[in-house]
């Protein structure tokens, strides 16, 4: 999904249904919950805990991320709308039980219009704490009846997206021998690396956390590393997988990029509107981020039915077909893949959401 927001968006100037600012002075909580759409069902999206430079930056992020979740959930075939939340602050310094429980109470006030889950800076044990104050929490620990870490199926979905992209571009799903650069080897990136190594891909990684890279190289001695993302994109690559924060595909990085496929787990990879056209002009096949990284949301959505890992994994395998469908539609309509994916998501929100206007008796 391309970013149609300005650099300083107004919550009223977007298409969002609801934006809630949450403040609990005693615990230090400052959070924003954004609901983009409930046309397909209650909004589902994670809670990002991050030390934003300003409240405006936090608002920009939550508006973009919540819209991305609406499109992601629609394209994944879920009966869920899109929302997101951000908590402002450094989680290593201010995350406490009191703050998380205060946040949970704000989620509860929305009465089920928004379900929260994990994201950057939050983990399954945090969801357990939030759930002590709210009924609308998923991504909890296995010990508390949840699905646990959703990064496993997120990585699995990205892997399926890579296979589909390879099939589309090279006529073969195999990644063996392909040189894949993974930027960010945290929760998702490390699992993705494992799958790539198993398939005999040549893997090059980078991360701002040198310890994470060192630990991964101990586990997978065949992988190599470079100092930073700028160095990684200039490496001779077949596939580039951005798996850290958003905005990885900007004017400078696209011109330097050597890979012919971009397929990664990071949200909002396109830095601004129009970037998708430049990718197309350079002959780079872009697997839209919210299409290929939907394995995690498929997992936490399954938790709402009573989590069964094998069922969730089976659903996540459909990311292969969805990605291939997006790329084929893009080719047939002569548009970049991100535009094709947007059209497919908007079509489902429009057509299925229309059914909500048909009244059904409640008893």
């Amino acid at each position: 999904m391309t970013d149609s927001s300005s650099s300083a968006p107004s919550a009223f100037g977007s298409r969002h249904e609801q934006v809630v600012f949450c403040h609990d002075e005693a615990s230090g909580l400052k959070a924003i919950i954004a609901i983009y759409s409930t046309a397909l069902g209650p909004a589902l999206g994670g809670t990002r805990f991050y030390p934003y430079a300003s409240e405006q930056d936090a608002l920009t992020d939550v508006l973009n991320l919540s819209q991305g979740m609406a499109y992601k959930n629609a394209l994944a075939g879920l009966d869920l709308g899109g929302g997101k939340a951000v908590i402002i602050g450094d989680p290593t310094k201010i995350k406490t039980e009191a703050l998380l429980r205060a946040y949970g109470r704000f989620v509860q006030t929305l009465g089920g219009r928004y379900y929260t889950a994990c994201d950057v800076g939050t983990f399954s044990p945090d969801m357990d704490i939030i759930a002590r104050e709210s009924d609308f929490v998923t991504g909890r620990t296995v010990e508390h009846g949840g699905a646990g870490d959703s990064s496993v199926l997120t990585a699995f979905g990205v892997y399926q997206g890579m296979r589909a992209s390879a099939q589309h571009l090279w006529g073969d799903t195999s990644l063996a021998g392909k040189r894949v650069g993974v930027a960010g080897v945290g929760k998702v990136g490390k699992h993705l690396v494992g799958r790539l190594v198993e398939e005999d891909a040549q893997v090059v990684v980078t991360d701002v956390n040198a310890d994470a890279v060192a630990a991964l190289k101990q586990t997978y001695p065949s992988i190599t590393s470079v100092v930073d993302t700028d160095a990684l994109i200039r490496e001779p690559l077949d596939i580039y997988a951005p798996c850290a924060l958003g905005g990885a595909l900007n004017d400078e990085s696209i011109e330097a990029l050597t890979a012919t496929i971009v397929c990664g787990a990071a949200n909002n990879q396109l830095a601004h509107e129009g970037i998708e056209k430049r990718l197309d002009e350079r002959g780079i096949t872009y697997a839209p981020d919210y299409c290929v990284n939907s394995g995690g949301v498929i997992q936490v959505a399954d938790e709402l039915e009573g989590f069964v890992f094998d069922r969730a994994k089976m659903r996540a395998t459909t990311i292969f077909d969805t990605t291939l469908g997006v790329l084929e539609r893009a080719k047939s309509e002569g548009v970049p893949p991100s535009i094709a994916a947007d059209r497919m998501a908007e079509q489902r929100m429009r057509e299925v959401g229309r059914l909500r206007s048909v009244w059904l008796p409640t008893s």
Side-chain angles (χ1 to χ4, degrees):
M1 185 202 66
T2 53
D3 174 15
S4 58
S5 304
S6 67
S7 59
S10 161
F12 290 99
S14 68
R15 296 180 179 179
H16 289 69
E17 289 182 15
Q18 188 175 11
V19 180
V20 180
F21 294 82
C22 313
H23 183 212
D24 180 67
E25 188 174 1
S27 67
L29 173 72
K30 294 175 73 174
I32 309 172
I33 302 171
I35 296 174
Y36 182 77
S37 171
T38 56
L40 296 177
L44 171 65
T47 297
R48 178 166 294 190
F49 204 141
Y50 189 75
Y52 293 97
S54 68
E55 293 175 6
Q56 186 63 61
D57 286 349
L59 177 60
T60 298
D61 204 29
V62 77
L63 293 179
N64 290 340
L65 290 168
S66 56
Q67 183 176 356
M69 285 305 305
Y71 281 60
K72 179 187 295 188
N73 293 341
L75 199 61
L78 301 174
D79 292 332
L80 292 164
K84 201 80 172 185
V86 296
I87 297 175
I88 302 170
D90 186 340
T92 65
K93 296 179 179 178
I94 70 167
K95 186 194 293 184
T96 63
E97 177 188 346
L99 183 147
L100 292 173
R101 292 182 70 157
Y103 169 66
R105 294 181 72 82
F106 280 108
V107 172
Q108 187 70 10
T109 65
L110 295 173
R113 282 177 50 76
Y114 169 66
Y115 278 80
T116 196
C118 305
D119 197 75
V120 174
T122 59
F123 304 87
S124 291
D126 298 328
M127 296 303 114
D128 289 343
I129 295 173
I130 294 167
R132 292 166 72 176
E133 301 291 343
S134 177
D135 300 316
F136 311 110
V137 182
T138 185
R140 298 182 64 186
T141 62
V142 174
E143 294 78 9
H144 286 82
D149 183 8
S150 65
S151 61
V152 174
L153 285 191
T154 302
F156 178 70
V158 174
Y159 170 68
Q160 295 299 331
M162 277 191 190
R163 293 177 65 247
S165 301
Q167 174 66 43
H168 174 77
L169 190 62
W170 300 316
D172 189 340
T173 61
S174 176
L175 303 175
K178 301 299 183 185
R179 201 157 193 258
V180 184
V182 181
V185 291
K187 289 192 287 187
V188 177
K190 66 180 181 183
H191 293 301
L192 178 60
V193 167
R195 290 203 169 270
L196 294 170
V197 169
E198 285 176 8
E199 198 169 333
D200 294 325
Q202 300 173 30
V203 182
V204 190
V205 304
T206 193
D207 196 289
V208 293
N209 184 345
D211 291 339
V213 172
L216 200 62
K217 290 174 78 172
Q218 270 199 324
T219 305
Y220 305 109
S222 65
I223 70 174
T224 58
S225 63
V226 294
V227 65
D228 57 23
T229 302
D230 187 57
L232 181 65
I233 62 176
R234 297 171 193 278
E235 284 281 311
L237 302 174
D238 296 300
I239 303 171
Y240 173 50
C243 294
L245 295 178
L249 301 175
N250 56 41
D251 296 314
E252 293 76 23
S253 65
I254 287 177
E255 297 309 316
L257 191 61
T258 63
T260 49
I261 290 175
V262 175
C263 179
N267 289 310
N268 294 339
Q269 292 173 26
L270 304 180
H272 61 76
E273 193 169 359
I275 284 287
E276 72 283 356
K277 296 174 184 174
R278 184 57 186 149
L279 282 165
D280 222 30
E281 290 168 355
R282 288 213 58 218
I284 298 171
T285 297
Y286 170 60
D289 47 48
Y290 71 81
C291 174
V292 301
N293 70 12
S294 60
V297 75
I298 289 171
Q299 176 170 324
V300 296
D302 192 86
E303 186 178 319
L304 300 177
E305 301 176 34
F307 182 64
V308 178
F309 181 82
D310 289 342
R311 178 178 63 196
K313 185 176 181 181
M314 183 61 65
R315 289 174 173 172
T317 61
T318 64
I319 292 171
F320 178 93
D321 292 329
T322 303
T323 305
L324 198 57
V326 166
L327 297 176
E328 289 174 350
R329 179 165 177 170
K331 183 178 180 180
S332 67
E333 296 183 0
V335 297
S338 58
I339 301 298
D342 284 357
R343 289 176 178 176
M344 290 169 67
E346 289 162 359
Q347 181 178 347
R348 184 166 184 265
M349 283 190 275
R350 183 172 60 251
E351 292 178 354
V352 179
R354 176 192 61 79
L355 298 176
R356 303 282 171 169
S357 65
V358 179
W359 183 82
L360 293 176
T362 56
S363 60

